[in-house]
């Protein structure tokens, strides 16, 4: 169990940009080293064309593609695939320094919904998490699209889904509640951009959620509505502003933080699978 | 006549023409608009719900801005026996088409179309949307 969390620890406390990916055609787990080689060649070719990043002439890009068998939900899910790009400085040939510059993780956590309905030669890894420069993302994405005939789309998270996350994550038991729960709202219809940040003491938020949730382990839309309405009325009582007329754009809790542009940060390894399961579901609905 | 909530102020009562159709506009991007509509519904006389009320949901073009649970809106249509129309006000074509639909509904509700009553038309619309 300890090794599990070590293998997935790389996901924690980093900002990941989310994409939904359609099933990959003729992707084989056994060919990962070949894929790394081909992708590496592709990146080198793009660099020749002058399309790659700011890299200097001596810096080499090393590509590794590996499988993370523990990063999945059920046995029916495909094991996650991790692609990493490192810059290798060849200045000292004896001890080449490698610096990880880009990571991309394809995964599927409880994605039966999608994988049940897909023909034989397709691999379902609907959720793609990226950490690193957009220019690398673009090159890697292009290669995958060309090679496996798949399609990447930024995963957007609606305010409705964000409020589910706020309720769900507030209910999670955390050992040491250190951070406040924060909701950020964007106010529409103004000539200048205006964001409202609403910070709630995590214990108060949990106490409120505990009075709302009827069945532990189950959450209904009604309960989420009541929870959010309580928070909104409290705010209105103090500031005379109707938060319900604004757009919820970001939710931060001790478990994770999520932004409507499809950016996530995992903060607790205990709930990693749970959050990934939710994101997988969102990715699948975006694809279908 | 356009208003942000009901009941209407009693000042203009004597000048106001007969109301033939009430369209409740719900912006899918604003939970507040749903709450506002729900509160206003309480002020509407029951006789209007025989085909003279409809719900217009706007902002449906942008799924990622959705702050309102769609089930709640469908339920509203069910509970108040009134049709639910969807549109995206930012697109001119859809805006015009929706305006024409509403105008047509208004003509029926005002009794300008012989042979079609507001009630029969309302029932027809709800039955076809259930299919």
């Amino acid at each position: 169990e300890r090794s599990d969390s070590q293998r997935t620890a790389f996901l924690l406390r980093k900002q990941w940009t989310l994409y939904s990916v359609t099933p990959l055609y003729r992707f084989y787990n056994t060919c990962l080293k070949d894929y790394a080689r081909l992708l590496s060649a592709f990146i080198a070719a793009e660099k020749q064309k002058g399309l790659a990043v700011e890299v200097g002439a001596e810096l080499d890009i090393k590509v590794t593609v590996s499988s993370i068998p523990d990063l999945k939900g059920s046995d029916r899910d495909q094991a996650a695939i991790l692609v990493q790009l490192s810059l290798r400085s060849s200045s000292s040939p004896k001890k080449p320094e490698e610096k990880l510059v880009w990571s991309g993780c394809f995964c599927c956590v409880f994605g039966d919904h999608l994988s049940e309905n897909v023909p034989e030669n397709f691999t379902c890894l609907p959720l793609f998490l990226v950490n690193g420069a957009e220019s690398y993302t673009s090159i890697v994405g292009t290669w995958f699209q060309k090679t496996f005939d798949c399609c990447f789309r930024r995963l957007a998270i609606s305010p409705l889904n964000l409020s589910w996350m706020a309720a769900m994550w507030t209910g999670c038991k955390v050992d040491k509640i250190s951070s406040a729960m924060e909701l950020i709202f964007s106010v529409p219809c103004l000539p200048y951009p205006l964001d409202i940040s609403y910070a709630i003491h995590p214990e108060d938020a949990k106490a409120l959620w505990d009075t709302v949730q009827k069945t532990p382990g189950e959450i209904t839309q009604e309960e989420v509505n009541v929870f959010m309405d309580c928070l909104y009325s409290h705010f209105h009582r103090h500031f005379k502003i109707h938060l319900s007329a604004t757009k919820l754009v970001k939710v931060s809790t001790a478990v994770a933080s999520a932004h409507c542009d499809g950016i996530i940060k995992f903060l607790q390894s205990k709930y990693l699978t749970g959050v990934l399961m939710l994101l997988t579901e969102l990715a699948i609905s975006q694809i279908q | 006549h356009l208003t942000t909530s009901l009941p209407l102020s009693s000042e203009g009562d004597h000048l106001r023409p007969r109301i033939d159709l009430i369209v409740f506009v719900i912006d899918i991007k604003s939970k507040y608009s749903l709450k506002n509509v729900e509160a206003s519904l309480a002020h509407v006389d029951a006789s209007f719900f025989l085909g003279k009320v409809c719900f217009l949901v706007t902002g449906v073009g942008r799924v990622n801005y959705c702050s309102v649970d769609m089930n709640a809106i469908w339920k509203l249509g069910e509970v108040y026996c009134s049709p639910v129309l969807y549109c995206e006000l930012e697109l001119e074509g859809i805006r015009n088409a929706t305006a024409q639909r509403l105008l047509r509904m208004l003509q029926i509700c005002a009794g300008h179309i012989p042979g079609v009553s507001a009630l029969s038309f309302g029932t027809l619309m709800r039955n076809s949307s259930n299919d």
Side-chain angles (χ1 to χ4, degrees):
Chain A
E1 218 196 67
R2 180 96 24 109
S3 60
D4 268 6
S5 50
Q6 274 177 359
R7 270 188 280 244
T8 55
F10 74 95
L11 284 170
L12 296 175
R13 284 174 289 278
K14 269 207 203 82
Q15 190 163 283
W16 298 93
T17 304
L18 304 170
Y19 291 80
S20 66
V21 189
T22 56
L24 305 166
Y25 183 61
R26 292 225 178 137
F27 176 89
Y28 303 114
N29 250 326
T30 48
C31 302
L32 299 184
K33 283 211 167 60
D34 295 326
Y35 297 150
R37 220 180 0 95
L38 292 168
L39 179 53
S40 188
F42 182 74
I43 295 175
E46 294 294 297
K47 220 168 99 173
Q48 288 275 336
K49 285 197 238 164
L51 290 173
V53 223
E54 341 74 43
V55 237
E58 332 89 47
L59 292 172
D60 219 1
I61 295 180
K62 174 176 162 213
V63 179
T64 51
V65 180
S66 53
S67 160
I68 310 178
D70 303 314
L71 190 53
K72 60 165 145 178
S74 69
D75 285 327
R76 287 182 297 278
D77 287 330
Q78 284 289 324
I81 302 290
L82 178 63
V83 179
Q84 288 176 308
L85 301 184
S86 315
L87 284 183
R88 185 164 37 195
S89 124
S90 44
S91 54
S92 59
K94 259 201 188 161
K95 235 184 157 192
E97 268 181 36
E98 267 179 30
K99 186 176 150 216
L100 179 65
V101 291
W102 187 94
S103 304
C105 181
F106 293 89
C107 67
C108 182
V109 180
F110 294 107
D112 293 339
H113 228 46
L114 181 67
S115 47
E116 291 177 331
N117 302 323
V118 133
E120 274 295 312
N121 287 326
F122 286 92
T123 304
C124 287
L125 290 163
L127 184 65
F128 185 51
L129 304 110
V130 172
N131 176 277
E134 164 64 32
S135 45
Y136 287 126
T137 308
S138 164
I139 297 179
V140 176
T142 305
W143 185 81
F144 270 89
Q145 286 182 140
K146 277 167 58 167
T147 314
F148 305 108
D149 199 24
C150 61
C151 181
F152 289 80
R153 260 179 69 198
R154 275 295 288 265
L155 183 66
I157 307 178
S158 71
L160 197 61
N161 288 321
L162 283 176
S163 46
W164 265 85
M165 291 175 189
M168 246 192 282
W169 298 341
T170 299
C172 293
K173 282 194 197 62
V174 258
D175 299 328
K176 198 177 53 144
I177 304 181
S178 47
S179 48
M181 172 177 163
E182 195 192 0
L183 302 174
I184 299 186
F185 300 84
S186 160
V187 185
C189 309
L190 290 178
Y192 47 87
L194 178 67
D195 279 352
I196 297 176
S197 163
Y198 184 7
I200 303 146
H201 194 282
E203 277 165 23
D204 290 344
K206 182 142 199 326
L208 173 62
W209 177 246
D210 287 340
T211 64
V212 173
Q213 187 182 29
K214 294 187 199 73
T215 321
E218 267 177 42
I219 304 183
T220 65
Q221 180 65 57
E222 257 315 297
E223 289 167 353
V224 176
N225 290 345
V226 171
F227 178 68
M228 296 304 290
D229 285 345
C230 284
L231 296 177
Y232 293 158
S233 339
H234 181 82
F235 195 85
H236 183 253
R237 224 175 298 133
H238 289 272
F239 301 104
K240 299 287 178 265
I241 293 177
H242 289 286
L243 287 175
S244 53
T246 63
K247 180 185 175 198
L248 177 60
V249 294
K250 185 171 179 190
V251 169
S252 297
T253 66
V255 169
S257 74
H259 187 279
C260 65
D261 288 340
I263 300 173
I264 196 110
K265 209 169 183 182
F266 306 98
L267 299 165
Q268 294 269 331
S269 61
K270 188 172 166 194
Y271 296 105
L272 189 56
T273 309
V275 179
L276 283 172
M277 175 170 81
L278 177 59
L279 296 175
T280 303
E281 210 183 301
L282 291 181
I284 293 175
S285 346
Q286 189 169 275
I287 294 171
Q288 287 177 333
Chain B
H1 185 93
L2 207 58
T3 182
T4 54
S5 71
L6 295 179
L8 295 173
S9 107
S10 51
E11 279 172 14
D13 266 350
H14 56 289
L15 296 170
R16 200 174 293 122
R18 184 190 69 202
I19 294 175
D20 291 313
L21 175 66
I22 303 179
V23 180
F24 287 98
V25 184
I26 301 171
D27 182 359
I28 215 176
K29 304 192 292 295
S30 164
K31 241 181 130 181
Y32 177 71
S33 79
L34 178 62
K35 289 249 168 298
N36 195 15
V37 163
E38 285 172 341
S40 299
L41 279 164
H43 296 281
V44 176
D45 186 72
S47 62
F48 276 96
F49 296 107
L50 298 172
K52 298 200 176 183
V53 167
C54 89
F55 297 100
L56 182 64
V57 183
T58 67
V60 294
R62 307 241 191 127
V63 174
N64 296 323
Y65 280 62
C66 184
S67 291
V68 174
D69 174 33
M70 282 311 295
N71 283 324
I73 299 181
W74 292 330
K75 222 170 148 217
L76 212 58
E78 286 287 304
V79 166
Y80 288 95
C81 304
S82 299
V84 182
L85 301 181
Y86 303 90
C87 81
E88 177 50 78
L89 291 178
E90 292 181 29
L91 299 173
E92 195 183 333
I94 299 182
R95 207 166 58 222
N96 290 339
T98 307
Q100 283 172 359
R101 275 181 94 178
L102 290 175
L103 201 55
R104 198 74 181 137
M105 281 180 73
L106 180 58
Q107 284 177 319
I108 293 171
C109 292
H112 291 187
I113 311 287
V116 186
S117 75
L119 184 57
S120 66
F121 185 69
T123 315
L124 190 67
M125 282 204 72
R126 275 174 42 235
N127 287 342
S128 66
S129 70
N130 283 342
D131 296 330

